[in-house]
Amino acid sequence: MSTDSNKNRFEKAGSQKRASLVSEFVGLLKQNKKYWLIPIILMLLVFSLLILLGGTAAAPFIYTLF
């Protein structure tokens, strides 16, 4: 391949819209068939949400769940 065609491909790739973190992660799951990661990620998100809400006025309502 010539240098001009490589430069054109590089410029085309640079002008494309960047993918978000979520879309990149979904693409990874689809490409590598790692669907078993979905429940783990969801549980981590739920626990982190509970930790964040534990320091707010919603804490008494969260403590009644446990």
Side-chain angles (χ1 to χ4, degrees):
M1 294 193 131
S2 69
T3 309
D4 292 333
S5 65
N6 286 338
K7 184 179 178 182
N8 290 339
R9 285 186 9 204
F10 180 74
E11 288 175 354
K12 183 190 279 188
S15 66
Q16 292 177 349
K17 183 181 174 192
R18 295 187 68 186
S20 69
L21 180 67
V22 175
S23 65
E24 292 246 355
F25 184 70
V26 170
L28 172 89
L29 292 177
K30 286 182 182 178
Q31 183 178 5
N32 295 329
K33 309 248 188 297
K34 303 272 185 197
Y35 299 116
W36 55 269
L37 283 174
I38 294 172
I40 296 170
I41 299 298
L42 287 177
M43 291 308 297
L44 285 173
L45 288 173
V46 167
F47 284 135
S48 63
L49 182 65
L50 285 174
I51 289 171
L52 287 175
L53 289 176
T56 65
F61 301 109
I62 294 172
Y63 294 142
T64 60
L65 295 175
F66 299 104

